[in-house]
Amino acid sequence: MSDTRKTDQAGMPRRAFVRSATMAAAGLTIVPRHVLGKGQTAPSDLVNVAGVGVGGMGRSNMTNLASQNIVALCDVDWGFAGKAYDGIPQQVAAAEKRLAEANPAPTPEQRRRAQAQIESLKQLATKAGKATRYVDYREMLEKQKDIDAVMIATPDHTHAVIATAAMSLGKHVYVQKPLAWSVEECRALAKKAIDTKVVTQMGNQGHSSDDARLVNEYIQSGTIGDVREVHIWTNRPLAYWPQGIPRPEPSKMTASPDASQPWNLRFVMDKLAGTLQAAPHAMPDKLAWDLFLGPAPQVEYHPVYHPFNWRGWTDWGVGAIGDMGAHLIDHAVWALDLGYPTSVETQSTPYNKATYPMATTTYYEFPARGAKPAVKVTWFDGGLLPPKPEEMGTEEFDKGGGVLYIGSKGKLLHGTYAQNPRLLGPLANAPKPPQTYKRITTSHEINWIDAIRGRQETTSPFSYAAKLTEIMLLGVVALNAGKKIQYDGANMKITNAPEAEQFLRRQYRQGWALA
């Protein structure tokens, strides 16, 4: 078992990695049926899956993939990730107890789903115990010859480099949302997927739900008429991770003895930075911090960054819109067949550019599509909400998140992941539209596996996910630009502020780049 933390600061030399990676490409054992041709059977009906970033959401993904051959697991912090697997027996026992004592008794379907999840956890416990463990994904891809597909659930800033390396070897890839950290990376991943012809999926699991398809059917059947406005909101980051805070560093300001120093925002943030920096923060023994940083700038470890709070820091995450946009903006983009926006403007609470603001509002303008009218999409986060339509009466918005579509004939409302779509006002009792979208009967992860087997297509391939993520990230670009941007999506250009184009891409730390 490989569990070494040793790595050069700049990582494996690119030439050596590419050479060894090319040799490893011969290790594929799964051949999709569409490649073999009609009537031929793939060599195996199971896929050899490796996971990179397996302690948080990645553990959930690996649970849903436990029916497959789990051959390798990679994480930069096995002190954290190991707990997710060591505790499975206790989690199984607790789940079985809850199911047995549930009151009221679950429906047959609820019981079936609970039992299936318990069985998946049991499978994962067995298979994860046999899988080879790695800390460096490059070592895994070089040494492990039997990997067919790679699930990637690392922090946002490493998605693109890991997915690119895997696709270069012909590995199928599942990448957690958001697909990438920058607009340029989205374009690169979409192109790489085309060039390598691998099966891809982004982890916005709501895209595979029945409710998401019902949203499309309501809108595309014309039930609410022409949609010209969409309002989208989430409560993130509230109660999830900190934003709007300073980077830990020694305090630069001193309170005067006569209290003439005002305790304004600048002074309070300086004191907070000093307090964070002075707090004990020994690095965990099993954390490979340099590998965590990957292509991002060199920053000294602090527990306020890892294992989850990285989402709010601009070096590694893309804030609330990157975290939840893939579950919320997704459905408007899909149902309305939106292209690239022509303009984007983001307004926010104070922004220090180290962490994202506490709250933002982003205004998108999308052009008409043939006979479909132009659409204005507004994004709210940090607890901000859109105006409540009168059709809701005394009902309140779900403050956790949701989407409101305003059409010429009526309004449609649904929750995060497209949950519980419903018509408002006079249309509330309108019949459901005909089913025109095929339903996905598996999990989002198994949809990916079935596509690898040649049985169906993925619901959120990079050809779609890259555009969706780019739209989300343009909200971050406008935030960094500090002004409304006019966007030429076809050429990836900001026409009114060329200096803001630097925010469409990132500078990679030496030794790290897209292969």
Side-chain angles (χ1 to χ4, degrees):
M1 179 177 294
S2 175
D3 195 12
T4 177
R5 295 178 62 227
K6 294 181 179 179
T7 179
D8 294 335
Q9 179 173 336
M12 182 186 298
R14 184 176 184 275
R15 183 179 299 174
F17 174 71
V18 172
R19 182 174 64 249
S20 60
T22 303
M23 294 173 62
L28 286 173
T29 59
I30 296 296
V31 182
R33 285 183 173 84
H34 73 270
V35 174
L36 294 170
K38 286 188 176 180
Q40 296 191 48
T41 303
S44 168
D45 217 29
L46 295 179
V47 177
N48 290 350
V49 178
V52 185
V54 294
M57 185 62 192
R59 212 294 295 267
S60 176
N61 295 138
M62 297 310 292
T63 301
N64 289 335
L65 291 166
S67 61
Q68 304 306 299
N69 294 328
I70 308 300
V71 297
L73 297 172
C74 180
D75 203 283
V76 300
D77 186 359
W78 278 105
F80 173 76
K83 295 175 184 177
Y85 296 86
D86 296 341
I88 290 178
Q90 292 79 11
Q91 294 163 20
V92 167
E96 290 177 331
K97 186 174 186 291
R98 285 195 302 271
L99 185 59
E101 299 176 355
N103 186 18
T107 66
E109 177 60 18
Q110 289 170 335
R111 182 174 294 277
R112 183 194 68 78
R113 290 184 179 182
Q115 289 174 335
Q117 188 72 2
I118 289 169
E119 290 307 310
S120 293
L121 276 171
K122 290 178 178 178
Q123 283 185 303
L124 180 63
T126 299
K127 295 180 179 182
K130 297 177 181 178
T132 306
R133 288 189 178 187
Y134 297 90
V135 172
D136 190 332
Y137 74 90
R138 297 166 301 182
E139 180 189 6
M140 181 189 77
L141 291 175
E142 177 189 9
K143 292 183 176 179
Q144 193 92 16
K145 308 299 183 183
D146 58 349
I147 297 171
D148 302 312
V150 181
M151 186 290 303
I152 301 164
T154 58
D156 305 344
H157 70 295
T158 53
H159 286 182
V161 292
I162 300 172
T164 298
M167 288 192 289
S168 294
L169 300 177
K171 315 294 185 188
H172 309 291
V173 291
Y174 181 108
V175 178
Q176 258 305 329
K177 54 77 192 168
L179 185 63
W181 185 91
S182 74
V183 167
E184 184 179 62
E185 288 178 340
C186 291
R187 299 278 178 123
L189 289 179
K191 182 178 186 303
K192 194 73 172 180
I194 293 172
D195 292 345
T196 56
K197 298 180 174 62
V198 298
V199 177
T200 61
Q201 181 93 302
M202 184 171 77
N204 53 332
Q205 63 270 23
H207 202 86
S208 287
S209 70
D210 290 357
D211 280 352
R213 283 148 182 75
L214 179 56
V215 169
N216 288 5
E217 289 157 356
Y218 269 130
I219 289 176
Q220 294 171 10
S221 67
T223 301
I224 65 171
D226 290 331
V227 176
R228 290 183 168 84
E229 279 184 65
V230 183
H231 299 277
I232 306 172
W233 68 96
T234 180
N235 64 342
R236 310 295 170 94
L238 296 182
Y240 287 90
W241 65 85
Q243 289 184 189
I245 64 173
R247 193 178 295 282
E249 60 182 7
S251 177
K252 300 182 178 67
M253 302 174 70
T254 304
S256 57
D258 61 358
S260 60
Q261 168 62 51
W263 283 76
N264 55 19
L265 180 63
R266 181 167 172 261
F267 183 75
V268 169
M269 286 298 178
D270 176 77
K271 296 299 110 181
L272 177 56
T275 301
L276 286 171
Q277 194 275 337
H281 50 269
M283 187 183 300
D285 291 341
K286 294 184 178 180
L287 171 60
W289 181 244
D290 191 69
L291 289 174
F292 171 90
L293 293 176
Q298 183 69 43
V299 174
E300 183 181 353
Y301 165 79
H302 192 284
V304 76
Y305 301 144
H306 169 81
F308 182 68
N309 290 342
W310 54 263
R311 284 200 178 280
W313 295 90
T314 59
D315 288 337
W316 312 302
V318 284
I321 200 167
D323 179 52
M324 296 305 292
H327 298 313
L328 288 158
I329 297 174
D330 175 21
H331 307 292
V333 169
W334 191 19
L336 295 169
D337 191 26
L338 299 179
Y340 295 115
T342 52
S343 72
V344 188
E345 181 179 12
T346 297
Q347 299 175 353
S348 76
T349 54
Y351 177 40
N352 61 17
K353 300 201 173 181
T355 55
Y356 293 100
M358 285 291 294
T360 65
T361 303
T362 298
Y363 304 91
Y364 294 94
E365 295 183 357
F366 292 88
R369 293 91 58 226
K372 300 174 185 177
V375 180
K376 293 183 178 181
V377 174
T378 307
W379 164 272
F380 306 85
D381 65 38
L384 300 178
L385 295 169
K388 191 179 77 169
E390 62 181 14
E391 291 92 338
M392 289 182 67
T394 59
E395 180 187 1
E396 296 295 332
F397 282 132
D398 178 351
K399 292 181 173 58
V403 182
L404 173 67
Y405 304 80
I406 300 178
S408 57
K409 298 179 181 178
K411 298 178 177 68
L412 173 69
L413 180 70
H414 66 71
T416 307
Y417 315 104
Q419 288 175 341
N420 188 28
R422 59 199 184 280
L423 301 169
L424 301 179
L427 292 177
N429 296 318
K432 287 186 177 181
Q435 285 194 12
T436 55
Y437 281 79
K438 179 182 176 182
R439 268 44 177 177
I440 305 301
T441 59
T442 67
S443 70
H444 196 56
E445 294 89 345
I446 296 301
N447 168 249
W448 173 56
I449 294 296
D450 282 346
I452 292 171
R453 291 165 170 161
R455 296 177 180 175
Q456 60 181 316
E457 295 180 351
T458 51
T459 65
S460 190
F462 287 5
S463 56
Y464 171 82
K467 182 182 74 171
L468 167 62
T469 305
E470 178 169 337
I471 291 169
M472 292 152 49
L473 296 182
L474 286 170
V476 178
V477 172
L479 172 68
N480 284 313
K483 62 169 66 175
K484 184 175 183 177
I485 60 171
Q486 304 294 331
Y487 193 58
D488 174 3
N491 297 299
M492 208 177 87
K493 295 287 186 183
I494 298 175
T495 57
N496 68 317
E499 70 279 3
E501 289 180 6
Q502 63 181 304
F503 304 121
L504 299 174
R505 52 188 57 87
R506 81 168 308 143
Q507 295 295 319
Y508 292 90
R509 192 160 61 108
Q510 185 177 2
W512 295 87
L514 295 183

